[in-house]
Amino acid sequence: MARPSHPAPGRWRRPAPPSAPLRPGGRFGGAAAGVRGAERGRIGAARSGAVRGGGVRAGKGSGGCSMAEPPGAPHRTTGSTLLHPLSGLLGIPLDQINFVACQLFALLAAFWFRIYLGPSHASSAVRHAFATLFGIYFAVFCFGWYSIHLFVLVMMNYGIMNMASIPNIHSPLMIITQKITTLACQLHDGIGRQAEELTAEQNRLAVKSRPSLLEYLSYLLNFMSIIAGPCSNYKDYIAFIEGRHVHMKLLEVNWKQKGYDRLPDPSPTGAVMYKLCITLVSLILFLTLTKSFPMAYIIDNEFLDKTPFLSRLGYLYVVTQAAKPKYYFAWTLADAVNNAAGYGFSGVDERGSFRWDLLSNLNIWNIETATSFKMYIENWNIQTAAWLKRVCYDRAPWYPTALTFILSALWHGIYPGYYFTFLTGILITLAARAIRNNCRRYFLSSVPLKIAYDAVTWVVTQLAVCYTVAPFVMLAVEPTIKFYKSMYFHMHILSILVLLVLPIRPQSHPTRKAQNQAVLNSVKSKDK
């Protein structure tokens, strides 16, 4: 596959941002908090974005995939300059060095937190206070005086939450994102709505009383998630601090039938070590591949003139793959930090193994083997997808898919590339759904047909994702239009043709009453 002899024009390049999440299906952002220089001014709202999406960016939500940083770019940051010599030695922007340093320190603090400040050794108030103070320190270390924006927003919204009327408590808090809106909506469900109005999940997560100031600050600013997330449900976090988190999950299993005379004591050490291995491999790939295959090449004039269309498609896949390791690194490290503190236990799988993926933000195997746009979306930036579903998709009165994509675009920020990506995502999602609903059943009658179907849909899915997220990386209008012109707008055209030709089956969503009744019937049948 041809590769241009020189990089794309410098004007399309930008310093490697902290976060550049490839988040298909409304969640392309949120890869790492603390690494975006150009958007540092937005760090306050980003606490729910960079911090929230679980991403490495100091921008709102998470940024777009960064292109190669120009040689000699200044390593500036509003945060601490203590590690500036290391930044110069490695040639990595100082804000990214600060981010990694904080996460590694958080990992060590998390082990200490679990061992010496566990629920059996310290009160909930002490655990809340420690988690909050360390989180505040990390925010100041990474973002300096810009973190004031974050703290002001947090306190303003605490005032709103305690002074607003119950029917309206969730609305004004939507200006911050993920954690605040998650808590706001769940508090609204628990206090302002009747149980029969809620889905089974909303009932389970509903918060019945306003949190204290310490609980609120600990949930939003704890050291485990303030830099790179992920977002978690308020009730899960409080159960973790109070020491009920693991116990609640263990009670879902009949241990006496398995030969246990008491509940086991799951250790996260194995899960943490495994995730740190993934983190190390991702870091190595980032340092070798990501900088060698910048996305800017795909709009280089010489490359466009001399490379056939199919080769350009292949190279698009390569550069998109090369951009992923930094997200894998940021999200997996964030997951490991939470696990090291004892947070993230999700129960026991069918083989009897303990699972520590309650807060996991991605499933790499399912991403790389996805045979549908939906499957890819569901396994990339998982916690942000869950947030979008809970605060938008499940609550939207009409057009939930389109509104969810639009909310995700707004959450990311103001760059035009975000809107190109998410509007394209709406079109491709609807087309992919129509193809799957109308065609898939014809390929399930034999193994060879199913294998052929999976092979074709894998190729199409991977290329569709690359096509969709490219504007997210480029950010600006001109390079985006240039890219889509070079691709002949083929995915847009194919998606429109599919929607015009294939019938679209309306999605039937069971009513909340029906969902709750089904849960009730299930419980009754178990009791019998």
Side-chain angles (χ1 to χ4, degrees):
M1 177 160 48
R3 177 176 174 182
S5 58
H6 59 274
R11 61 180 179 279
W12 302 135
R13 292 187 166 196
R14 64 186 181 93
S19 56
L22 287 171
R23 189 168 38 175
R27 328 176 264 145
F28 288 97
V35 190
R36 170 166 267 199
E39 296 181 2
R40 280 189 207 99
R42 299 191 291 140
I43 180 58
R47 192 252 137 242
S48 297
V51 163
R52 346 172 241 251
V56 175
R57 76 178 281 184
K60 187 172 185 178
S62 25
C65 307
S66 65
M67 300 179 192
E69 186 179 48
H75 296 175
R76 291 175 290 184
T77 179
T78 55
S80 171
T81 59
L82 179 66
L83 300 177
H84 190 276
L86 182 60
S87 170
L89 179 66
L90 299 178
I92 297 175
L94 180 56
D95 49 7
Q96 295 184 18
I97 293 289
N98 286 349
F99 163 77
V100 175
C102 278
Q103 285 298 82
L104 292 178
F105 189 73
L107 181 67
L108 297 176
F111 278 114
W112 188 89
F113 186 72
R114 177 169 60 89
I115 296 171
Y116 296 102
L117 282 185
S120 60
H121 298 92
S123 67
S124 296
V126 171
R127 284 166 58 81
H128 277 307
F130 179 90
T132 303
L133 292 175
F134 260 58
I136 291 173
Y137 174 76
F138 287 163
V140 173
F141 186 89
C142 278
F143 311 127
W145 68 271
Y146 273 134
S147 57
I148 295 174
H149 188 190
L150 166 64
F151 304 141
V152 169
L153 288 172
V154 166
M155 295 310 299
M156 284 176 57
N157 281 281
Y158 185 73
I160 293 173
M161 185 176 66
N162 281 277
M163 292 185 292
S165 63
I166 290 299
N168 299 320
I169 194 170
H170 61 310
S171 299
L173 299 184
M174 298 299 283
I175 60 171
I176 289 198
T177 58
Q178 294 206 348
K179 280 191 176 181
I180 289 180
T181 51
T182 294
L183 173 57
C185 288
Q186 291 171 356
L187 191 60
H188 175 69
D189 291 342
I191 301 178
R193 301 171 70 188
Q194 299 298 317
E196 57 269 19
E197 298 176 329
L198 307 176
T199 65
E201 183 185 51
Q202 288 170 348
N203 257 317
R204 179 176 64 84
L205 299 175
V207 178
K208 304 294 184 181
S209 61
R210 290 180 173 91
S212 68
L213 177 60
L214 182 58
E215 290 170 334
Y216 173 80
L217 293 177
S218 176
Y219 171 62
L220 293 178
L221 303 177
N222 69 81
F223 74 93
M224 298 168 291
S225 63
I226 190 169
I227 299 299
C231 175
S232 64
N233 293 300
Y234 176 77
K235 288 180 72 172
D236 289 334
Y237 179 76
I238 295 300
F240 155 69
I241 289 292
E242 294 177 354
R244 298 179 286 108
H245 166 60
V246 174
H247 187 75
M248 289 165 51
K249 298 294 183 181
L250 291 176
L251 289 177
E252 297 174 1
V253 178
N254 189 333
W255 293 100
K256 286 187 177 181
Q257 284 186 352
K258 295 179 177 293
Y260 288 80
D261 57 356
R262 60 179 180 177
L263 293 179
D265 184 18
S267 170
T269 303
V272 172
M273 293 300 108
Y274 172 73
K275 290 172 183 178
L276 288 180
C277 288
I278 295 177
T279 297
L280 179 60
V281 172
S282 299
L283 180 61
I284 293 172
L285 291 175
F286 166 69
L287 295 175
T288 55
L289 290 180
T290 303
K291 294 185 177 181
S292 300
F293 295 94
M295 185 70 78
Y297 277 129
I298 63 175
I299 55 170
D300 177 70
N301 290 329
E302 182 180 350
F303 177 66
L304 294 177
D305 292 340
K306 296 183 178 180
T307 310
F309 175 71
L310 291 180
S311 295
R312 295 203 301 272
L313 279 181
Y315 189 74
L316 175 63
Y317 175 74
V318 170
V319 296
T320 303
Q321 290 297 101
K324 291 179 184 178
K326 64 180 173 184
Y327 311 128
Y328 291 171
F329 168 81
W331 285 331
T332 306
L333 180 56
D335 195 10
V337 168
N338 282 273
N339 290 171
Y343 189 24
F345 183 69
S346 58
V348 183
D349 63 20
E350 59 279 359
R351 297 172 297 176
S353 302
F354 298 125
R355 294 167 50 202
W356 289 87
D357 59 357
L358 181 69
L359 304 177
S360 295
N361 236 339
L362 75 170
N363 184 316
I364 296 175
W365 175 258
N366 287 348
I367 288 170
E368 301 301 344
T369 61
T371 56
S372 70
F373 208 70
K374 178 177 181 289
M375 180 179 175
Y376 200 110
I377 288 171
E378 288 176 345
N379 289 281
W380 179 276
N381 208 348
I382 296 169
Q383 302 308 320
T384 296
W387 168 69
L388 287 167
K389 179 178 182 294
R390 288 168 185 157
V391 304
C392 182
Y393 190 89
D394 288 345
R395 300 172 191 270
W398 27 256
Y399 305 121
T401 298
L403 289 176
T404 301
F405 272 89
I406 292 170
L407 172 60
S408 188
L410 292 170
W411 173 68
H412 279 87
I414 60 173
Y415 284 113
Y418 298 159
Y419 297 87
F420 277 103
T421 284
F422 292 112
L423 292 177
T424 301
I426 295 174
L427 195 61
I428 292 181
T429 297
L430 295 176
R433 183 184 298 163
I435 292 173
R436 188 174 182 84
N437 289 342
N438 288 279
C439 303
R440 186 173 183 270
R441 61 182 182 274
Y442 297 114
F443 294 89
L444 302 179
S445 57
S446 70
V447 173
L449 278 177
K450 179 64 166 57
I451 292 175
Y453 176 84
D454 286 345
V456 171
T457 52
W458 177 83
V459 172
V460 173
T461 296
Q462 300 298 322
L463 292 179
V465 169
C466 298
Y467 180 92
T468 302
V469 304
F472 197 99
V473 181
M474 297 173 182
L475 298 179
V477 173
E478 187 177 346
T480 295
I481 297 299
K482 183 177 182 180
F483 165 72
Y484 277 145
K485 280 184 177 180
S486 73
M487 293 285 117
Y488 310 113
F489 293 91
H490 69 279
M491 281 293 177
H492 289 90
I493 295 171
L494 290 174
S495 297
I496 292 172
L497 290 176
V498 165
L499 294 174
L500 291 176
V501 172
L502 294 179
I504 300 177
R505 299 180 181 180
Q507 286 186 295
S508 58
H509 296 285
T511 63
R512 293 185 178 94
K513 273 192 173 181
Q515 290 178 338
N516 293 336
Q517 189 60 47
V519 172
L520 184 61
N521 292 340
S522 174
V523 172
K524 287 181 178 178
S525 64
K526 288 181 181 178
D527 291 340
K528 292 179 181 178

